[in-house]
Amino acid sequence: MSRRTVTASAVLATALTALGGGAEARPRPQAAREQAAQARADSGGLVLRLPAPTGPYRIGAVTLHLVDRSRRDPWNPGIPVRELMVTVFYPARTVRAYPRAPHMTPAAARSFTVLGPAMRPQLPHAGVDWAATPTHAHLGAPAHPVPRPVLLYSPGGGDPRTLGTGLAEELAARGHVVVAIDHPGDASEVEFPTTTAYRDDVLRDTVLTKDPRTDPALFRTLIGTRVADTRFVLDRLEELAAGRNPDAAGRALPLHLGRALDLRRVGIYGHSAGGTTAAQAMYEDDRVGAAANLEGYLDHPAEAPGREGELFPVARDGVDRPLLLLGTDGFTDRKALERSWAAMLAHPRGRTARRQLDGAAHGVFTDYAAFAPRLQAAGLMTVEGRAELVGPLDPAVSVPAVRHHVAAFFGRHLGARRAQ
């Protein structure tokens, strides 16, 4: 283990759980479960699987390194630019001879083995081979040269983009181009293709050591940075659609990828802090035609006890484009969420819809929906930990339900070509 990882582990040992509605860490499993976990670790670890997408299209994928030279990094003053990593999932023309993309690269998986449980105490410290999970997407496969609706994805606070892979694959298999965004400095870890003069490691860890909802200034920086990130990604997608290569190193792109982008039909969705980002990004950028907020606050934390936090402009003013608010009955901070969501729904002539998943909890919108029950069955997560993270709902029900709500929403509002 590198000094970088050891240091990160020590710093993040005090991190709170959900970064937007957390709970206390549960006790570790009993000794027998720990022994079983160690045995699996010694033999390579449990291999987790993503649910197969149900759409008619095979899926291609490519990662892009994007550099915004107009912004300094907000989390590290020594980085003079804002770097992002994104994965583009898209309907592929063929996948034959193109390898499956891993859910996490080996380096990211090693880091996640330490940082994941620091961010989410329900996760095991050993016993899982996080690098072994395959996706259903094929690296570099040629894209169908047919213009498709484009969806941006912003993950939850502290989460890497990889934890939204299952839903992204489903949307791509149904005919969307999905661009999953990592927010470096925020995400637990982000892996870049190379080092630079201002970054001496290909891996960059999170700076978050507490729940941003307990620190108004931190939360403001977090969301402001994410909104700027999404708008920058849209700018780079315009370059891609125009036939240029936005990758910082000019790495080869899949054939026809630019032709697969219909930037007249753009949506954005996100989980937790990513849901806040999605709603506010639509408010600020009229290129976005629809947004889905998967259990993200629409207000800032209170500046002082007993006071109410300031509403984000999207909740204060409303928006004239479709917004989905999708929540769960098991979210531990539902009461705090309710104020800003109610404000959003109260706007006259608004186009906001609200839906709820029962028997579910905050992490059900991520790949944990499928992973947590497997971890519980293997003795690597307690029943209480699974309920706390994703809820007791069977993944055979929860995964299709989340996919249905999000896919139906964007299919309804981006399925027809938007007027210019």
Side-chain angles (χ1 to χ4, degrees), residues 288-310:
V288 179
N293 173 359
L294 311 181
E295 211 155 59
Y297 302 93
L298 294 178
D299 61 357
H300 292 277
E303 296 286 344
R307 296 175 56 183
E308 291 185 337
E310 178 188 2

Side-chain angles (χ1 to χ4, degrees), residues 172-191:
R174 295 193 188 200
H176 297 81
V177 174
V178 181
V179 184
I181 305 170
D182 257 338
H183 302 284
D186 170 347
S188 55
E189 68 285 317
V190 179
E191 184 177 1

Side-chain angles (χ1 to χ4, degrees), residues 4 17-18 45 71 76 90 139 149 156-157 162 172 194 233 257 273 290 309-310 314 319 370 376 393-394 419:
R4 180 196 64 79
T17 304
R71 289 187 292 156
N76 185 336
Y90 52 89
L139 289 170
T162 49
T194 62
V233 169
L257 181 60
E310 178 188 2
V314 64
V319 71
Q376 180 198 339
L393 193 62
D394 192 300

